[in-house]
Every structure is written in C-alpha cells, then in structure tokens.
Amino acid sequence: MLKDFDLNALQILSSVIKCRSVTEAANLLEISPSSVTYAINKIRKATDNPLFSRSKNGIVPTTMALELNNRYIKAMELIRDGMAFSSDQTSTEIEQNITLSTYTFLELWFSCIALKEESMNHICLNFISNKYEDKERILRIRKHHIDIDIGSVLPYDPSIISTKLFSSNYQVLVSKNHSTIKDTFTMDDWNKSKYIRWMKSHEEIYKHIGNAGNIDEIKNIDFHVTSDSSLNSLFLCAMSDFLLLIPGYMAEFYMEILPVRTFDLPFENDLRSECYAHHHRSEKNNARIATCLKLLKKMHSEFDDTEHSRKQLIT
C-alpha cells in the first residue's frame, strides 16, 4: 500500500483534515485544488476506504483518514527530532528560527525580555512587518509565513488560536522635558497640545472601541506628525513637546528607558486597547511557539502586577 503514495500525499491529507476544506487546504499549501483532490484520491484507492464524508460544516474525516494522519504526524515528529539533534546534543544544539509579526515597540520590549531568558538561548527571533489588514494577517498565519502574530484581535478563524495578552486604558505620553506640562495634565493641556499620530494605534481605537467615534476630544486631536512606526512615534515624543496617545500596557517599559511620563485622559471615557497573540492551530504543540507564548504571558503578568500597584496608589 505504501508504495502507492508518499509523504507529500499524507501532508495534503493532514492539511485537508485541519482545514475541513479542499479549497482551504490548497490555499494553505499554495497548490491547486485539483492537486489536493488527486492526492486524496490516490490515498483512497490505495487504502480502498473512503477518507471523508460531507456535513453542513464541511467535510469530515473517517476513522481511516484520522489513523493515517496520526501516523503521519508521529513520523514527522521523529524526522524533525532526528534532524534537530545529534547524539552529542550539548555541543551541536541548533538555533531555531521563530518568525513574529508585531509592532516595533513590542519587538524591542519582547527582545529585551527574551535576552534575559535561558529558555530562549537557542531560539533566533525573526521579526517582520505587521503592516497588514486582518485578512492578510490571517492568510499569513494560515500559510505558516509567520509563527506568531502579535497585535489587535482578529476575526474568528477555525485554523487560528488566539491568546489575549494585554487589556488597558489609553494614556497620554509626555516628555519629561516638556516645556509646559509638568506634574499634572489638564483638559486645557489636552486642547492646546500638538500630537503625534501613530497610525496603527488610532486606527484600532476607532475600529475596536465602541464609543470612540462619539468622543469629540478624540476626533478633534490636532495631529502634526503621522507615523506607522510605533518606535519612531515614541522617541519623537520623548524628544519634543508633541504628545502621543498610547495603550497603557506600553507605559512602564518605556518610562524605564526614555525620559517620558504618562497621564490619564482628562475626560470621561472607557477607551481600552487589547493585544493578542495568534498562531496556527496545527502548531499548538510546537515547543518554540510554546516558549515564546510563555514569555509573552510573563510580560502580561508583570504588567498586571504593575497596573494593580498603580491603582492601589491612586485609591
């Protein structure tokens, strides 16, 4: 039986099982739907068993298909283990890349934390641009072009696992050397100031926060600089009298490394920013991804501790 189909056919079968769709599996593997159908038919003829049945929610794998997929997964794990490690693991450990797509400020924050973690010693972080709309972000995860997407919430997709990292109010970032704003921040300061517009941040305010479009104070901000780089926006704010509206979870780390301070918005609002980590469901047992997610959750818990302490001081 095995001579009639190969690992490529089993990979295609595995993708169809994950996607529950020939078309989605073809998109994931970047091949034509006819190639997927050909591979499935090849396996079906060799096993003399149906591999899928149809339902309202798509195609459903049979017991035979699930058994073949389990054996394929185990075989691939053995192959990966054999390629990744030699008999003398301590002297020949191989650095493994992991590709992340996120904001530039989170690149810096995560990198600084990762450099201190022993668990990250043999993982090479590969950061790439996150300047994409939701559909493209989802597609890049589906196609395994990236391992972890860190950013705003994505529409539901059955092939993607999302983990909530941060949720915080928005704050105003001000240089410690600001010519007029010192220890307090008033409504008059808000109205008279000039602002830097970090593109992603403000797009997400309007996209994800229900009442942002109804808050005149947000709509009427006087922007004098616009940038899609969060780091450029942060450093410019630190070096000038321009103000920057930021998610609160960014504040603590950057107040440690830049001459900046933060203030709450000087008007009633319930604006919140949320940040998620997204990865492909098929990679839920990937050790590198698990290590990075553990570190991101550690950043989250440290932020929660800082936020709790800050609220206690206020009250």
Side-chain angles (χ1 to χ4, degrees):
M1 181 181 75
L2 287 175
K3 65 182 176 64
D4 294 322
F5 57 92
D6 56 21
L7 283 176
N8 287 333
L10 290 173
Q11 180 191 19
I12 291 172
L13 172 68
S14 183
S15 297
V16 175
I17 290 173
K18 284 185 287 192
C19 298
R20 300 297 174 95
S21 162
V22 169
T23 302
E24 289 295 327
N27 289 335
L28 176 64
L29 297 168
E30 297 185 292
I31 60 177
S32 67
S34 61
S35 297
V36 174
T37 302
Y38 175 79
I40 298 302
N41 286 336
K42 192 175 180 180
I43 299 174
R44 181 179 57 78
K45 289 176 183 177
T47 59
D48 196 27
N49 275 280
L51 298 174
F52 296 94
S53 60
R54 294 192 176 277
S55 73
K56 292 180 180 179
N57 297 321
I59 55 178
V60 179
T62 63
T63 302
M64 171 61 75
L66 292 173
E67 178 62 23
L68 284 172
N69 188 45
N70 286 336
R71 294 188 181 190
Y72 165 75
I73 291 171
K74 289 178 181 177
M76 293 307 296
E77 287 175 351
L78 288 171
I79 291 171
R80 289 191 189 103
D81 288 344
M83 292 177 65
F85 301 98
S86 72
S87 58
D88 183 11
Q89 181 177 340
T90 57
S91 62
T92 60
E93 283 186 306
I94 301 171
E95 285 192 341
Q96 300 181 71
N97 289 330
I98 185 163
T99 301
L100 303 98
S101 176
T102 189
Y103 315 124
T104 50
F105 80 83
L106 263 171
E107 287 185 27
L108 179 59
W109 185 10
F110 184 73
S111 298
C112 288
I113 300 294
L115 288 172
K116 302 174 185 177
E117 293 290 323
E118 188 175 342
S119 61
M120 298 292 291
N121 284 350
H122 300 286
I123 296 177
C124 179
L125 299 176
N126 175 34
F127 290 105
I128 60 175
S129 171
N130 71 331
K131 300 172 186 176
Y132 296 95
E133 299 300 323
D134 289 352
K135 287 184 179 179
E136 182 63 24
R137 288 171 63 198
I138 290 172
L139 188 60
R140 294 198 305 161
I141 298 171
R142 281 184 184 170
K143 291 184 175 182
H144 297 270
H145 290 174
I146 60 169
D147 296 305
I148 304 177
D149 175 293
I150 307 170
S152 60
V153 64
L154 287 173
Y156 172 74
D157 186 285
S159 65
I160 294 174
I161 295 175
S162 299
T163 303
K164 189 174 181 179
L165 298 176
F166 307 106
S167 179
S168 68
N169 293 326
Y170 278 89
Q171 295 182 315
V172 178
L173 193 72
V174 181
S175 171
K176 284 186 176 180
N177 300 314
H178 195 284
S179 60
T180 59
I181 299 172
K182 301 302 179 184
D183 297 325
T184 60
F185 185 72
T186 66
M187 197 66 206
D188 190 50
D189 292 323
W190 172 274
N191 289 327
K192 290 181 178 179
S193 296
K194 296 179 180 179
Y195 291 81
I196 303 162
R197 183 173 186 257
W198 169 32
M199 294 282 288
K200 198 72 175 177
S201 173
H202 288 85
E203 286 171 2
E204 289 172 3
I205 289 174
Y206 287 102
K207 180 177 178 181
H208 299 294
I209 306 301
N211 71 346
N214 297 323
I215 297 180
D216 289 337
E217 288 84 356
I218 297 291
K219 290 193 294 184
N220 296 331
I221 287 179
D222 185 12
F223 293 111
H224 281 248
V225 177
T226 297
S227 175
D228 60 7
S229 167
S230 53
L231 273 186
N232 179 64
S233 301
L234 285 161
F235 275 88
L236 183 57
C237 177
M239 298 165 61
S240 70
D241 276 358
F242 290 98
L243 274 53
L244 180 65
L245 196 61
I246 64 165
Y249 62 79
M250 295 169 54
E252 191 68 23
F253 176 67
Y254 286 100
M255 285 194 291
E256 291 180 4
I257 64 172
L258 291 173
V260 291
R261 68 183 74 194
T262 62
F263 296 97
D264 291 333
L265 304 189
F267 51 85
E268 285 262 343
N269 71 89
D270 58 358
L271 305 182
R272 292 189 69 78
S273 172
E274 295 184 341
C275 183
Y276 292 77
H278 311 279
H279 67 279
H280 200 281
R281 190 170 295 277
S282 66
E283 302 289 351
K284 64 181 179 180
N285 295 321
N286 184 303
R288 291 171 296 124
I289 289 178
T291 299
C292 288
L293 289 176
K294 184 178 180 180
L295 191 54
L296 285 164
K297 289 175 183 176
K298 180 180 177 181
M299 293 164 60
H300 165 260
S301 64
E302 288 178 355
F303 162 72
D304 275 353
D305 291 343
T306 302
E307 184 73 358
H308 178 68
S309 300
R310 191 180 76 88
K311 287 180 179 178
Q312 283 188 321
L313 285 172
I314 292 173
T315 55

